Amino acid sequence: MVGRPLVGRRLRLLAYILPTAALAGCGGNYNWGWYVVMPTTTQGQTNIQFLLGGLWTTISLSLLAIAISVTLGLLVALPGLSTRPAWRSVNRIYVELFRAIPILVMLLWVYYGLPVVLDIKLDVFAAGVIALALCDSAFEAEIFRGGIQSISRGQAEAADSLGLSYWDKMRYVILPQAIRRILPPLGNQFVYMLKMSSLVSVIGLSELTRRANELVVNQYRPLEIYTFLVLEYLVLILIVSQGVRWLERRLQADERQGR
Amino acid sequence: MTEATPNGAGRIISMSAVTKRFGDFAALKAVDLEVGLGERVVVCGPSGSGKSTLIRCINQLERHDEGRIVVDGIELNDDVKNITSVRREVGMVFQQFNLFPHLTVLQNLTLAPMRARKTPKSEAEALARRYLERVRIPEQAEKYPAQLSGGQQQRVAIARSLCMQPKIMLFDEPTSALDPEMIKEVLDVMIELAEDGMTMVCVTHEMGFARKVADKMVFMDEGQIVEVGTPTAFFSAPESERTKQFLSQILAH
């Protein structure tokens, strides 16, 4: 057992070196300039106002993209549950294709490519919504498919035997039960979408990240401004996860009543 | 209600040379079966003999591969409209109840009449309460299925099917998932239904029930109908060796 203490010693060494390096970098040589985002100064207030100005764009971009991707995801999931191979392959092709495209690539392609292909004008916001929604819808489709498949076949058979139409069966019997099970992964996707919306800054949409970038360029205070940006996202995402938790608790309460 | 005409004129279900395959396995092999209006048929046989598949073909929960099935004058083919209209006339009760767990008992009962028959809510609820009365659990209307006992759940399932006012009721081993002390309450409801003249096809091993209500006994084995007869003949003088063997096994104790 010669290796053990050696590894231990190396680890201990790392444990000393890392914080020291971090401290040297942050506390030591860097002069923090929090004034850029300090609400007590006029300069700080103007900057904060500028940064928060992207809030609504980020929120509406994400919300729209989520709404579209959930709808699209459900519509793509349904043929994936069909007994007919042709319908199922529609689902497979869609999912495999859109799941494979990186969001940033999709964004660039939609913004620069789509207007040429379809001969239309597309503003940055619309391009952002489309790209985010398309990429995310493939994941939503898989989440829906899994959730619906987890509902026992007897439920669908009971609905069928009563003469309910396909849509009534889905709407009143299957989906209300499936939604409880897919809420956690769905919440994950919501958070993911909110974060990925920052990529739209690349094509120039004035949302949170873009505004932070612009401010960095004329204030030369990247660390402070990006830290502020991190906090902005953190707050937004905490709100989203609280919302999802609340929904989950509500649906679980219904379920308990039912058990 | 229609008058019971056990061997009378109206044929309401007619299956001829029906074959159903699951992959290479033939669950039904060229089965013929006629059911008259108001007739009560009990289907029995060892597990895997195709009894469930037989009645699941009647409302097309299983699509048959060959042969003809005509229910209430409608031929069951690839036309989805035909299948849906037959399903509205044919109620089914499952072994596992299959109640909708997220809906109250009342909502379970009113869903299909409101959606598939466009019955107004107040009317559907009145209908539902009437049938709950009939299966003797009117006081459970606002509860959720999981709050009920197995016997109560199965009676709700029967009431749910009756709310569509079907012409035929199919029962797929309705008491097999129940604790012994709850079997009787479900059978009592089924006997009452039979006495009211409902056309019924029941897959069950409750031979006491069969003796009491069946007009016709059907014995199946290995995807084929081996024997058809009146309960008296079936129980006292079964023709085939296979039927004798089966009966001796289930009536032994």
Side-chain angles (χ1 to χ4, degrees):
Chain A
M1 289 282 114
V2 186
R4 265 266 168 83
L6 201 68
V7 172
R9 210 171 303 145
R10 272 188 202 160
L11 271 179
R12 218 173 307 148
L13 208 62
L14 257 181
Y16 284 116
I17 289 175
L18 278 181
T20 315
L23 274 176
C26 305
N29 300 335
Y30 190 76
N31 287 319
W32 289 91
W34 286 111
Y35 66 90
V36 276
V37 286
M38 195 59 76
T40 48
T41 66
T42 343
Q43 168 79 73
Q45 273 172 21
T46 322
N47 287 347
I48 289 176
Q49 240 167 31
F50 178 76
L51 287 170
L52 289 179
L55 199 59
W56 178 240
T57 311
T58 289
I59 292 174
S60 54
L61 174 75
S62 309
L63 280 182
L64 253 173
I66 285 167
I68 294 173
S69 89
V70 166
T71 316
L72 213 56
L74 180 57
L75 288 179
V76 172
L78 294 178
L81 297 157
S82 170
T83 46
R84 297 184 188 190
W87 281 114
R88 280 208 307 277
S89 57
V90 169
N91 166 278
R92 281 334 298 164
I93 292 169
Y94 184 98
V95 169
E96 295 301 346
L97 179 66
F98 287 106
R99 203 162 55 173
I101 304 174
I103 297 181
L104 185 55
V105 176
M106 177 68 108
L107 201 58
L108 295 171
W109 195 89
V110 168
Y111 186 56
Y112 295 110
L114 206 57
V116 179
V117 176
L118 294 180
D119 195 24
I120 47 163
K121 275 198 164 182
L122 212 56
D123 66 23
V124 241
F125 186 81
V129 169
I130 293 171
L132 287 177
L134 283 181
C135 279
D136 196 53
S137 65
F139 292 90
E140 304 284 355
E142 288 297 85
I143 292 172
F144 273 111
R145 194 168 64 89
I148 292 171
Q149 271 172 346
S150 77
I151 303 302
S152 90
R153 231 179 94 200
Q155 292 290 307
E157 288 182 351
D160 283 339
S161 77
L162 287 165
L164 288 176
S165 70
Y166 177 80
W167 293 108
D168 282 344
K169 170 176 72 177
M170 279 297 160
R171 182 170 159 206
Y172 295 101
V173 178
I174 307 296
L175 287 178
Q177 297 184 61
I179 204 80
R180 286 157 217 235
R181 300 192 188 177
I182 64 184
L183 211 54
L186 220 52
N188 246 349
Q189 284 307 113
F190 289 0
V191 167
Y192 187 70
M193 182 76 99
L194 203 53
K195 297 199 291 183
M196 288 306 135
S197 72
S198 63
L199 287 172
V200 185
S201 64
V202 168
I203 55 173
L205 182 68
S206 182
E207 41 67 78
L208 290 177
T209 305
R210 176 73 179 196
R211 286 195 171 227
N213 279 334
E214 283 169 8
L215 198 66
V216 166
V217 170
N218 64 46
Q219 299 283 324
Y220 303 110
R221 280 286 164 203
L223 260 175
E224 294 80 358
I225 292 169
Y226 287 137
T227 307
F228 188 83
L229 181 62
V230 165
L231 293 177
E232 284 180 300
Y233 280 111
L234 186 64
V235 168
L236 274 183
I237 282 161
L238 284 178
I239 292 172
V240 170
S241 23
Q242 278 312 104
V244 173
R245 284 268 166 75
W246 176 80
L247 252 179
E248 253 177 72
R249 266 202 308 277
R250 247 197 63 169
L251 289 176
Q252 269 167 8
D254 285 358
E255 186 109 319
R256 258 199 301 284
Q257 199 181 7
R259 265 186 207 277
Chain B
M1 273 281 139
T2 349
E3 201 135 324
T5 51
N7 300 306
R11 291 266 169 273
I12 194 158
I13 303 172
S14 161
M15 306 174 88
S16 52
V18 172
T19 296
K20 169 70 190 177
R21 287 186 207 89
F22 295 106
D24 288 335
F25 174 72
L28 293 180
K29 300 170 189 160
V31 168
D32 299 305
L33 181 70
E34 303 270 316
V35 178
L37 191 65
E39 196 172 23
R40 273 88 55 164
V41 179
V42 168
V43 184
C44 61
S47 66
S49 60
K51 337 178 271 293
S52 281
T53 310
L54 177 83
I55 68 166
R56 287 162 61 88
C57 277
I58 296 172
N59 66 353
Q60 292 287 285
L61 286 184
E62 306 291 355
R63 301 278 182 94
H64 55 295
D65 296 306
E66 283 161 37
R68 280 189 75 192
I69 304 177
V70 180
V71 178
D72 195 26
I74 302 169
E75 164 139 32
L76 291 166
N77 45 29
D78 287 335
D79 193 340
V80 182
K81 262 202 191 122
N82 283 1
I83 295 176
T84 309
S85 43
V86 163
R87 282 175 178 166
R88 283 174 192 170
E89 303 304 328
V90 180
M92 187 172 216
V93 175
F94 300 87
Q95 185 178 348
Q96 300 295 340
F97 329 137
N98 293 342
L99 292 175
F100 306 135
H102 60 298
L103 301 179
T104 64
V105 165
L106 196 65
Q107 289 167 333
N108 263 279
L109 267 62
T110 54
L111 178 63
M114 282 167 63
R115 299 305 310 170
R117 287 225 196 276
K118 308 287 171 217
T119 312
K121 190 175 180 199
S122 57
E123 212 174 297
E125 284 184 353
L127 190 73
R129 289 189 191 279
R130 201 156 72 233
Y131 279 114
L132 282 179
E133 196 89 45
R134 197 161 157 193
V135 299
R136 305 192 198 93
I137 33 175
E139 71 285 358
Q140 311 285 7
E142 316 302 333
K143 289 199 180 159
Y144 284 87
Q147 294 170 298
L148 307 181
S149 73
Q152 290 173 326
Q153 289 192 48
Q154 192 60 300
R155 284 184 283 151
V156 170
I158 294 173
R160 178 176 68 177
S161 283
L162 290 176
C163 278
M164 284 296 281
Q165 301 183 295
K167 293 179 179 158
I168 303 165
M169 284 287 285
L170 307 174
F171 292 85
D172 190 0
E173 305 205 28
T175 56
S176 300
L178 293 175
D179 290 336
E181 75 270 20
M182 293 170 182
I183 292 177
K184 187 176 175 294
E185 62 188 56
V186 172
L187 290 180
D188 283 347
V189 167
M190 290 169 65
I191 289 169
E192 243 183 65
L193 203 58
E195 282 165 355
D196 285 348
M198 175 65 80
T199 307
M200 292 163 71
V201 183
C202 315
V203 172
T204 181
H205 291 138
E206 295 295 332
M207 290 304 142
F209 167 80
R211 260 187 244 258
K212 202 162 190 171
V213 307
D215 299 307
K216 185 150 88 185
M217 293 297 299
V218 172
F219 176 72
M220 291 188 72
D221 192 26
E222 293 181 347
Q224 285 169 319
I225 292 180
V226 177
E227 189 160 345
V228 178
T230 62
T232 332
F234 183 82
F235 288 111
S236 57
E239 283 165 20
S240 89
E241 234 6 82
R242 191 66 194 88
T243 315
K244 278 178 205 159
Q245 199 190 343
F246 176 76
L247 285 176
S248 74
Q249 273 162 355
I250 63 164
L251 299 175
H253 43 95

